[in-house]
Amino acid sequence: MPPETPWHTRWHTLGPAATAAALEVDPDRGLDSADAAERLARTGENRLAETPPRPAWLKFLDQFRSFLIVVLIFASALAWAIGELKDALVILVVVVLNASLGFWQEHRAERTLSALKDMLAARARVRRDRRLMEVDAASLVPGDVVLLEAGDRVPADGRLLAAHNLEVDEAALTGESQSVGKITDTLDAPELTLGDRVNMLYMNTVVTRGRAEMLVVTTGMATEMGSLAGMIASTTNSETPLQRQLDVLGKRLALIAGIVVAVIFALDAARGLPWIQATMTAVALAVAAIPEGLPAVVTVTLAIGMWRMAQNGAILKKLAAVETLGSTTVICSDKTGTLTLNQMTARAGWFAGCRFTVDGEGYHATGCICGEGLADLHPLLLPMALCSDSSVREAALVGDPTEGALWVLAQKGGIDPLAEREHLPRIAEIPFDSAHKFMATFHHRGDCVEMCIKGAPDVLLARSSAWHSGAREGDREDASDRPLDDGVRATIAAENERLAGQALRVLAVARRQIPARDFDPAGDLWAWARDWTFIGIAGLMDPPRAEAAAAIRRCRQAGIRVKMITGDHKATAAAIGRELGLQGEVASGAELDAMDDATLARRIDSIAVFARVSPAHKVRIVKALKADGHVVAMTGDGVNDAPALKAADIGIAMGITGTAVTREAATMVLTDDNFATIVRAVEEGRVIFDNIVKFVRFQLSTNIGAILTVLAATLAGLPSPFTAIQLLWINIIMDGPPAMTLGVEPARPGIMRAPPRPQAAHILTLHRLGRLALYGATMMVGTLWLFHSALDTHGEQYALTLAFTTFVLFQFFNVFNARREYGSAFNRQFLRNAKLWLALCGVLALQAVVVNWPPAQAVFGTVALSGADWLRSALVASSVLLLDEARKLLMRMLKMKKAPAA
């Protein structure tokens, strides 16, 4: 082996002899053990590199990166510094609880590479030292000759030396739904995609038919699977829209709070208040101005949504990703196994001059064969049952998907393939080969031998001299056979083109009856490869899931675009796209290669189907969509989808058919592999964000009300209407149960008929901030009016208690404003959230305890209020709800008045 092996050589362009020469090996004898050991020391084991796991303590510290969390920690430290230990501890408890809840969700990245490593074949049969032996797959080196047969998983990347009827399932790597026939011929085109390099085998693909000898060219991280592992490891996780919004909100609140607190501190100091008292008031107001409950409420709300989604078949692995679904604008979906069943199915065909269609999908035998004027289908279906090495047992395929589709078609036509195989035992066969493109089996049948053939229609037609017309004249088996003239040949060729034009894979069947006395199973079987009777053709495809089209329609109603990404050929992908109702252009991987990034960005929105793409193409598509401002969800089930899943805003893996790699790379796993589940998850994401906005509106109106009330009192020369401990109490009880219960509000009507929320949209818009300021001003006026009037009649402590209680009751009524931003709060959902009502009743009970229980009075500086003042306080507090209801009613009336004119 030369010192520098050409790892990036285009091996498919070299012949077997040239490849062996480049790797300095004689394929007939294999490597010497000493040479293999030397190469292993040079190249390393045939394993995927592992990234050292991030320490747990660093993962925990990652939870404190949010700017809002940093501000809260600073406020806690300041409260601690001036001796307000209770304030400091409460803030710290909220911060640490939030970090603990999110910690265990954030350590999945290193498990992806571990899952990839586990997928390597454990053992491999190789030729070394002129003999066959079995070795650990990890010990394979470039130059090893590996022997493979049906059912084997390919242990490394290699160039084929010999291929006997070889077909390989490459769906996990390329997305190609059909097994790929392999050859040993040299390919001249150097820039072929992986799916078109038919003289190569790749790690982790599966041999479905035939036998092969492969010369290993790359191992470990140098393989195509290794490059996928590198792409997964190098793809960075991006922040979710919610995380970005909360970060912006935290910075804005900190700026506002800092300015207001500084002003109030300066005014209190100018009035001659003691420095300690002024500082305590400033810290308390800072705590009231920043919604420290926001991280905890967001975490709990997302966790509740995560649990609800799990009940509906969608398991989230990262809390913040729940909300990402709600703002998704594009879903890029893998075709095979996601939008389709990944089960080849016969859909249509031609027999005895008649067209027919087939009901049913997948490997279930339910369904029927329908067609006008159809003759007895037994002559068509019998070769399909007999000329096959596969079977379907209880809807589970054993063998080749194409043969499985023909097996099920025979069952739908009333034939029991197992019984027919026992009745007509196979005595000889001509195996399928990509060179002659057909398979033939010979079956003993009384005094004759039944030859059954299936294969490419043009090949069978060229070797046939008769056709089965279906019009019987007599009792003989071949009584319906007629000479195959040019007119019939043209008809069959046209039917073949018609089915192929529908992106169906077309197979033909034929037969020949041979006198038993003339047949020798050990003789020249090719002598009978002529003068066949052409029987019919069948068109096969991997059908769309029944619920996928409906789910795509619902996505369209919700303003979400669906793009199908597949490794299948362009015609097949276009046909599936039409059947699913996808609207837009179809582009191939080669066409994507011809586009620069600017061209792709310009055309990306108009393309609905991407065909014949590689894993790198998928990542590029996702990145182009994200650069265009889209929030992208990517679904998939194969290894080839993993890098794109990780690059997307949210990766969605299939739990049943998906590989371990995709399940680890994804942030959400569908336990039912149902595309429709994504739509329910999107709705849940929208509900969650809607409820978080409700909490923000509720919390900020409380914060604004507290700031305005204290600021106005200071400017008016009045004493502070709240003590520091009262401000903290207001903050705790309103950040707590009432705010938490807003996170479990039911979905508002029409939430899935609205377009996705723009990614750049702010939680706190100017329009929304104006309404919140109005709520705060209402609280300020009502609280200070009662405070000022009580100062003159009952003294400062009574006035403080009345102002404190009034402000708490303001929050009781304000929560209903937060529940419904535009419509009336008095609607059908008014009484639906029982947890909210329980929390509000708890707040009233606690406030009564604080005001009337002597030990609490000593802590909070309160005195008992009269019944009349409780009533007066409640009436004033209700104004925040009644005034907003009047505003909403006026807005609805104006809208109705403008509607006829529009």
Side-chain angles (χ1 to χ4, degrees), residues 331-358:
I331 299 176
C332 295
S333 177
D334 180 57
K335 178 188 77 71
T336 305
T338 307
L339 292 170
T340 65
L341 292 172
N342 197 20
Q343 298 179 358
M344 291 297 288
T345 306
R347 301 296 293 267
W350 179 92
F351 168 65
C354 299
R355 296 175 178 176
F356 63 85
T357 58
V358 186

PDB file of all heavy atoms in Angstrom, residues 331-358:
ATOM      1  N   ILE A 331     -42.232  22.778   5.911  1.00  0.00           N
ATOM      2  CA  ILE A 331     -41.890  21.416   6.313  1.00  0.00           C
ATOM      3  C   ILE A 331     -41.244  20.729   5.116  1.00  0.00           C
ATOM      4  O   ILE A 331     -41.879  20.555   4.074  1.00  0.00           O
ATOM      5  CB  ILE A 331     -43.127  20.621   6.766  1.00  0.00           C
ATOM      6  CG1 ILE A 331     -43.792  21.273   7.972  1.00  0.00           C
ATOM      7  CG2 ILE A 331     -42.739  19.177   7.104  1.00  0.00           C
ATOM      8  CD1 ILE A 331     -45.082  20.597   8.408  1.00  0.00           C
ATOM      9  N   CYS A 332     -39.969  20.379   5.260  1.00  0.00           N
ATOM     10  CA  CYS A 332     -39.264  19.617   4.228  1.00  0.00           C
ATOM     11  C   CYS A 332     -39.353  18.146   4.608  1.00  0.00           C
ATOM     12  O   CYS A 332     -38.792  17.730   5.616  1.00  0.00           O
ATOM     13  CB  CYS A 332     -37.799  20.046   4.149  1.00  0.00           C
ATOM     14  SG  CYS A 332     -37.569  21.746   3.624  1.00  0.00           S
ATOM     15  N   SER A 333     -40.071  17.389   3.809  1.00  0.00           N
ATOM     16  CA  SER A 333     -40.349  16.005   4.172  1.00  0.00           C
ATOM     17  C   SER A 333     -39.665  15.031   3.237  1.00  0.00           C
ATOM     18  O   SER A 333     -39.735  15.174   2.016  1.00  0.00           O
ATOM     19  CB  SER A 333     -41.863  15.754   4.153  1.00  0.00           C
ATOM     20  OG  SER A 333     -42.139  14.398   4.440  1.00  0.00           O
ATOM     21  N   ASP A 334     -39.006  14.051   3.821  1.00  0.00           N
ATOM     22  CA  ASP A 334     -38.503  12.935   3.037  1.00  0.00           C
ATOM     23  C   ASP A 334     -39.696  12.167   2.476  1.00  0.00           C
ATOM     24  O   ASP A 334     -40.727  12.059   3.134  1.00  0.00           O
ATOM     25  CB  ASP A 334     -37.656  12.029   3.928  1.00  0.00           C
ATOM     26  CG  ASP A 334     -37.102  10.838   3.181  1.00  0.00           C
ATOM     27  OD1 ASP A 334     -36.411  11.046   2.183  1.00  0.00           O
ATOM     28  OD2 ASP A 334     -37.386   9.707   3.604  1.00  0.00           O
ATOM     29  N   LYS A 335     -39.563  11.660   1.248  1.00  0.00           N
ATOM     30  CA  LYS A 335     -40.671  10.934   0.626  1.00  0.00           C
ATOM     31  C   LYS A 335     -40.814   9.518   1.177  1.00  0.00           C
ATOM     32  O   LYS A 335     -41.850   9.143   1.723  1.00  0.00           O
ATOM     33  CB  LYS A 335     -40.501  10.865  -0.893  1.00  0.00           C
ATOM     34  CG  LYS A 335     -41.618  10.072  -1.593  1.00  0.00           C
ATOM     35  CD  LYS A 335     -41.324   9.856  -3.063  1.00  0.00           C
ATOM     36  CE  LYS A 335     -40.290   8.767  -3.274  1.00  0.00           C
ATOM     37  NZ  LYS A 335     -40.798   7.403  -2.982  1.00  0.00           N
ATOM     38  N   THR A 336     -39.749   8.742   1.044  1.00  0.00           N
ATOM     39  CA  THR A 336     -39.828   7.318   1.329  1.00  0.00           C
ATOM     40  C   THR A 336     -40.041   7.074   2.814  1.00  0.00           C
ATOM     41  O   THR A 336     -39.230   7.455   3.645  1.00  0.00           O
ATOM     42  CB  THR A 336     -38.549   6.606   0.857  1.00  0.00           C
ATOM     43  OG1 THR A 336     -38.341   6.901  -0.522  1.00  0.00           O
ATOM     44  CG2 THR A 336     -38.656   5.111   1.055  1.00  0.00           C
ATOM     45  N   GLY A 337     -41.155   6.437   3.149  1.00  0.00           N
ATOM     46  CA  GLY A 337     -41.453   6.075   4.516  1.00  0.00           C
ATOM     47  C   GLY A 337     -42.073   7.179   5.338  1.00  0.00           C
ATOM     48  O   GLY A 337     -42.509   6.939   6.464  1.00  0.00           O
ATOM     49  N   THR A 338     -42.116   8.394   4.808  1.00  0.00           N
ATOM     50  CA  THR A 338     -42.686   9.518   5.541  1.00  0.00           C
ATOM     51  C   THR A 338     -43.991   9.963   4.881  1.00  0.00           C
ATOM     52  O   THR A 338     -45.058   9.911   5.486  1.00  0.00           O
ATOM     53  CB  THR A 338     -41.701  10.690   5.597  1.00  0.00           C
ATOM     54  OG1 THR A 338     -40.451  10.226   6.094  1.00  0.00           O
ATOM     55  CG2 THR A 338     -42.223  11.801   6.481  1.00  0.00           C
ATOM     56  N   LEU A 339     -43.896  10.401   3.635  1.00  0.00           N
ATOM     57  CA  LEU A 339     -45.099  10.699   2.865  1.00  0.00           C
ATOM     58  C   LEU A 339     -45.629   9.452   2.171  1.00  0.00           C
ATOM     59  O   LEU A 339     -46.807   9.394   1.803  1.00  0.00           O
ATOM     60  CB  LEU A 339     -44.796  11.787   1.830  1.00  0.00           C
ATOM     61  CG  LEU A 339     -44.504  13.179   2.392  1.00  0.00           C
ATOM     62  CD1 LEU A 339     -43.988  14.097   1.300  1.00  0.00           C
ATOM     63  CD2 LEU A 339     -45.734  13.764   3.056  1.00  0.00           C
ATOM     64  N   THR A 340     -44.767   8.464   1.983  1.00  0.00           N
ATOM     65  CA  THR A 340     -45.183   7.203   1.370  1.00  0.00           C
ATOM     66  C   THR A 340     -45.023   6.077   2.381  1.00  0.00           C
ATOM     67  O   THR A 340     -44.441   6.250   3.454  1.00  0.00           O
ATOM     68  CB  THR A 340     -44.353   6.884   0.114  1.00  0.00           C
ATOM     69  OG1 THR A 340     -42.994   6.676   0.503  1.00  0.00           O
ATOM     70  CG2 THR A 340     -44.438   8.026  -0.891  1.00  0.00           C
ATOM     71  N   LEU A 341     -45.529   4.895   2.011  1.00  0.00           N
ATOM     72  CA  LEU A 341     -45.529   3.756   2.933  1.00  0.00           C
ATOM     73  C   LEU A 341     -44.191   3.036   3.000  1.00  0.00           C
ATOM     74  O   LEU A 341     -43.953   2.264   3.919  1.00  0.00           O
ATOM     75  CB  LEU A 341     -46.599   2.746   2.505  1.00  0.00           C
ATOM     76  CG  LEU A 341     -48.058   3.182   2.653  1.00  0.00           C
ATOM     77  CD1 LEU A 341     -48.972   2.157   1.995  1.00  0.00           C
ATOM     78  CD2 LEU A 341     -48.425   3.351   4.119  1.00  0.00           C
ATOM     79  N   ASN A 342     -43.325   3.248   1.996  1.00  0.00           N
ATOM     80  CA  ASN A 342     -42.107   2.453   1.834  1.00  0.00           C
ATOM     81  C   ASN A 342     -42.447   0.977   1.658  1.00  0.00           C
ATOM     82  O   ASN A 342     -41.765   0.088   2.164  1.00  0.00           O
ATOM     83  CB  ASN A 342     -41.149   2.641   3.013  1.00  0.00           C
ATOM     84  CG  ASN A 342     -39.746   2.180   2.688  1.00  0.00           C
ATOM     85  OD1 ASN A 342     -39.367   2.061   1.522  1.00  0.00           O
ATOM     86  ND2 ASN A 342     -38.953   1.907   3.710  1.00  0.00           N
ATOM     87  N   GLN A 343     -43.548   0.733   0.949  1.00  0.00           N
ATOM     88  CA  GLN A 343     -44.001  -0.626   0.630  1.00  0.00           C
ATOM     89  C   GLN A 343     -44.470  -0.616  -0.821  1.00  0.00           C
ATOM     90  O   GLN A 343     -45.501  -0.016  -1.139  1.00  0.00           O
ATOM     91  CB  GLN A 343     -45.142  -1.070   1.551  1.00  0.00           C
ATOM     92  CG  GLN A 343     -44.762  -1.137   3.019  1.00  0.00           C
ATOM     93  CD  GLN A 343     -45.937  -1.572   3.890  1.00  0.00           C
ATOM     94  OE1 GLN A 343     -47.043  -1.794   3.413  1.00  0.00           O
ATOM     95  NE2 GLN A 343     -45.685  -1.690   5.175  1.00  0.00           N
ATOM     96  N   MET A 344     -43.712  -1.269  -1.698  1.00  0.00           N
ATOM     97  CA  MET A 344     -44.076  -1.300  -3.112  1.00  0.00           C
ATOM     98  C   MET A 344     -45.462  -1.930  -3.280  1.00  0.00           C
ATOM     99  O   MET A 344     -45.786  -2.932  -2.644  1.00  0.00           O
ATOM    100  CB  MET A 344     -43.046  -2.078  -3.909  1.00  0.00           C
ATOM    101  CG  MET A 344     -41.699  -1.387  -4.006  1.00  0.00           C
ATOM    102  SD  MET A 344     -41.762   0.199  -4.884  1.00  0.00           S
ATOM    103  CE  MET A 344     -42.022  -0.371  -6.569  1.00  0.00           C
ATOM    104  N   THR A 345     -46.261  -1.336  -4.161  1.00  0.00           N
ATOM    105  CA  THR A 345     -47.648  -1.763  -4.349  1.00  0.00           C
ATOM    106  C   THR A 345     -47.998  -1.708  -5.836  1.00  0.00           C
ATOM    107  O   THR A 345     -47.649  -0.748  -6.525  1.00  0.00           O
ATOM    108  CB  THR A 345     -48.613  -0.836  -3.577  1.00  0.00           C
ATOM    109  OG1 THR A 345     -48.209  -0.785  -2.206  1.00  0.00           O
ATOM    110  CG2 THR A 345     -50.041  -1.327  -3.671  1.00  0.00           C
ATOM    111  N   ALA A 346     -48.685  -2.733  -6.318  1.00  0.00           N
ATOM    112  CA  ALA A 346     -49.196  -2.716  -7.691  1.00  0.00           C
ATOM    113  C   ALA A 346     -50.382  -1.776  -7.766  1.00  0.00           C
ATOM    114  O   ALA A 346     -51.318  -1.875  -6.963  1.00  0.00           O
ATOM    115  CB  ALA A 346     -49.603  -4.117  -8.125  1.00  0.00           C
ATOM    116  N   ARG A 347     -50.366  -0.849  -8.725  1.00  0.00           N
ATOM    117  CA  ARG A 347     -51.441   0.143  -8.838  1.00  0.00           C
ATOM    118  C   ARG A 347     -52.268  -0.031 -10.103  1.00  0.00           C
ATOM    119  O   ARG A 347     -53.442   0.355 -10.122  1.00  0.00           O
ATOM    120  CB  ARG A 347     -50.849   1.563  -8.819  1.00  0.00           C
ATOM    121  CG  ARG A 347     -50.061   1.896  -7.590  1.00  0.00           C
ATOM    122  CD  ARG A 347     -50.897   1.894  -6.322  1.00  0.00           C
ATOM    123  NE  ARG A 347     -51.866   2.945  -6.302  1.00  0.00           N
ATOM    124  CZ  ARG A 347     -51.668   4.154  -5.766  1.00  0.00           C
ATOM    125  NH1 ARG A 347     -50.497   4.436  -5.227  1.00  0.00           N
ATOM    126  NH2 ARG A 347     -52.604   5.068  -5.771  1.00  0.00           N
ATOM    127  N   ALA A 348     -51.672  -0.556 -11.184  1.00  0.00           N
ATOM    128  CA  ALA A 348     -52.391  -0.665 -12.455  1.00  0.00           C
ATOM    129  C   ALA A 348     -51.682  -1.694 -13.332  1.00  0.00           C
ATOM    130  O   ALA A 348     -50.575  -2.154 -13.014  1.00  0.00           O
ATOM    131  CB  ALA A 348     -52.454   0.688 -13.159  1.00  0.00           C
ATOM    132  N   GLY A 349     -52.327  -2.039 -14.440  1.00  0.00           N
ATOM    133  CA  GLY A 349     -51.696  -2.990 -15.351  1.00  0.00           C
ATOM    134  C   GLY A 349     -52.509  -3.202 -16.612  1.00  0.00           C
ATOM    135  O   GLY A 349     -53.524  -2.525 -16.867  1.00  0.00           O
ATOM    136  N   TRP A 350     -52.053  -4.169 -17.425  1.00  0.00           N
ATOM    137  CA  TRP A 350     -52.714  -4.512 -18.691  1.00  0.00           C
ATOM    138  C   TRP A 350     -52.644  -6.022 -18.856  1.00  0.00           C
ATOM    139  O   TRP A 350     -51.585  -6.634 -18.662  1.00  0.00           O
ATOM    140  CB  TRP A 350     -52.017  -3.806 -19.837  1.00  0.00           C
ATOM    141  CG  TRP A 350     -52.580  -4.095 -21.204  1.00  0.00           C
ATOM    142  CD1 TRP A 350     -53.547  -3.393 -21.854  1.00  0.00           C
ATOM    143  CD2 TRP A 350     -52.187  -5.154 -22.086  1.00  0.00           C
ATOM    144  NE1 TRP A 350     -53.805  -3.942 -23.084  1.00  0.00           N
ATOM    145  CE2 TRP A 350     -52.982  -5.042 -23.255  1.00  0.00           C
ATOM    146  CE3 TRP A 350     -51.263  -6.195 -22.006  1.00  0.00           C
ATOM    147  CZ2 TRP A 350     -52.866  -5.912 -24.332  1.00  0.00           C
ATOM    148  CZ3 TRP A 350     -51.148  -7.070 -23.071  1.00  0.00           C
ATOM    149  CH2 TRP A 350     -51.946  -6.919 -24.230  1.00  0.00           C
ATOM    150  N   PHE A 351     -53.782  -6.631 -19.211  1.00  0.00           N
ATOM    151  CA  PHE A 351     -53.842  -8.080 -19.378  1.00  0.00           C
ATOM    152  C   PHE A 351     -54.935  -8.425 -20.383  1.00  0.00           C
ATOM    153  O   PHE A 351     -56.066  -7.937 -20.273  1.00  0.00           O
ATOM    154  CB  PHE A 351     -54.130  -8.757 -18.032  1.00  0.00           C
ATOM    155  CG  PHE A 351     -54.501 -10.208 -18.142  1.00  0.00           C
ATOM    156  CD1 PHE A 351     -53.590 -11.141 -18.617  1.00  0.00           C
ATOM    157  CD2 PHE A 351     -55.764 -10.655 -17.763  1.00  0.00           C
ATOM    158  CE1 PHE A 351     -53.935 -12.485 -18.722  1.00  0.00           C
ATOM    159  CE2 PHE A 351     -56.106 -11.983 -17.859  1.00  0.00           C
ATOM    160  CZ  PHE A 351     -55.189 -12.915 -18.344  1.00  0.00           C
ATOM    161  N   ALA A 352     -54.582  -9.263 -21.364  1.00  0.00           N
ATOM    162  CA  ALA A 352     -55.532  -9.781 -22.356  1.00  0.00           C
ATOM    163  C   ALA A 352     -56.306  -8.652 -23.027  1.00  0.00           C
ATOM    164  O   ALA A 352     -57.529  -8.745 -23.227  1.00  0.00           O
ATOM    165  CB  ALA A 352     -56.493 -10.772 -21.701  1.00  0.00           C
ATOM    166  N   GLY A 353     -55.616  -7.566 -23.361  1.00  0.00           N
ATOM    167  CA  GLY A 353     -56.243  -6.470 -24.073  1.00  0.00           C
ATOM    168  C   GLY A 353     -57.018  -5.510 -23.213  1.00  0.00           C
ATOM    169  O   GLY A 353     -57.645  -4.582 -23.738  1.00  0.00           O
ATOM    170  N   CYS A 354     -57.011  -5.676 -21.883  1.00  0.00           N
ATOM    171  CA  CYS A 354     -57.797  -4.814 -20.975  1.00  0.00           C
ATOM    172  C   CYS A 354     -56.892  -4.175 -19.929  1.00  0.00           C
ATOM    173  O   CYS A 354     -55.963  -4.805 -19.419  1.00  0.00           O
ATOM    174  CB  CYS A 354     -58.885  -5.631 -20.265  1.00  0.00           C
ATOM    175  SG  CYS A 354     -60.087  -6.378 -21.362  1.00  0.00           S
ATOM    176  N   ARG A 355     -57.206  -2.937 -19.614  1.00  0.00           N
ATOM    177  CA  ARG A 355     -56.521  -2.249 -18.530  1.00  0.00           C
ATOM    178  C   ARG A 355     -57.197  -2.567 -17.202  1.00  0.00           C
ATOM    179  O   ARG A 355     -58.405  -2.814 -17.157  1.00  0.00           O
ATOM    180  CB  ARG A 355     -56.544  -0.733 -18.752  1.00  0.00           C
ATOM    181  CG  ARG A 355     -55.791  -0.282 -19.994  1.00  0.00           C
ATOM    182  CD  ARG A 355     -55.978   1.215 -20.210  1.00  0.00           C
ATOM    183  NE  ARG A 355     -55.228   1.686 -21.376  1.00  0.00           N
ATOM    184  CZ  ARG A 355     -55.271   2.931 -21.834  1.00  0.00           C
ATOM    185  NH1 ARG A 355     -56.026   3.840 -21.202  1.00  0.00           N
ATOM    186  NH2 ARG A 355     -54.564   3.269 -22.914  1.00  0.00           N
ATOM    187  N   PHE A 356     -56.417  -2.538 -16.125  1.00  0.00           N
ATOM    188  CA  PHE A 356     -57.007  -2.754 -14.804  1.00  0.00           C
ATOM    189  C   PHE A 356     -56.303  -1.866 -13.775  1.00  0.00           C
ATOM    190  O   PHE A 356     -55.181  -1.395 -13.988  1.00  0.00           O
ATOM    191  CB  PHE A 356     -56.930  -4.230 -14.389  1.00  0.00           C
ATOM    192  CG  PHE A 356     -55.545  -4.778 -14.224  1.00  0.00           C
ATOM    193  CD1 PHE A 356     -54.842  -4.619 -13.025  1.00  0.00           C
ATOM    194  CD2 PHE A 356     -54.914  -5.472 -15.262  1.00  0.00           C
ATOM    195  CE1 PHE A 356     -53.558  -5.130 -12.869  1.00  0.00           C
ATOM    196  CE2 PHE A 356     -53.642  -5.988 -15.112  1.00  0.00           C
ATOM    197  CZ  PHE A 356     -52.955  -5.811 -13.901  1.00  0.00           C
ATOM    198  N   THR A 357     -57.016  -1.612 -12.696  1.00  0.00           N
ATOM    199  CA  THR A 357     -56.457  -0.871 -11.562  1.00  0.00           C
ATOM    200  C   THR A 357     -56.542  -1.750 -10.323  1.00  0.00           C
ATOM    201  O   THR A 357     -57.322  -2.703 -10.275  1.00  0.00           O
ATOM    202  CB  THR A 357     -57.214   0.442 -11.312  1.00  0.00           C
ATOM    203  OG1 THR A 357     -58.604   0.149 -11.073  1.00  0.00           O
ATOM    204  CG2 THR A 357     -57.091   1.380 -12.506  1.00  0.00           C
ATOM    205  N   VAL A 358     -55.747  -1.401  -9.320  1.00  0.00           N
ATOM    206  CA  VAL A 358     -55.661  -2.219  -8.112  1.00  0.00           C
ATOM    207  C   VAL A 358     -55.912  -1.338  -6.897  1.00  0.00           C
ATOM    208  O   VAL A 358     -55.288  -0.281  -6.741  1.00  0.00           O
ATOM    209  CB  VAL A 358     -54.281  -2.893  -8.000  1.00  0.00           C
ATOM    210  CG1 VAL A 358     -54.269  -3.868  -6.809  1.00  0.00           C
ATOM    211  CG2 VAL A 358     -53.919  -3.615  -9.286  1.00  0.00           C
TER     212      VAL A 358
END
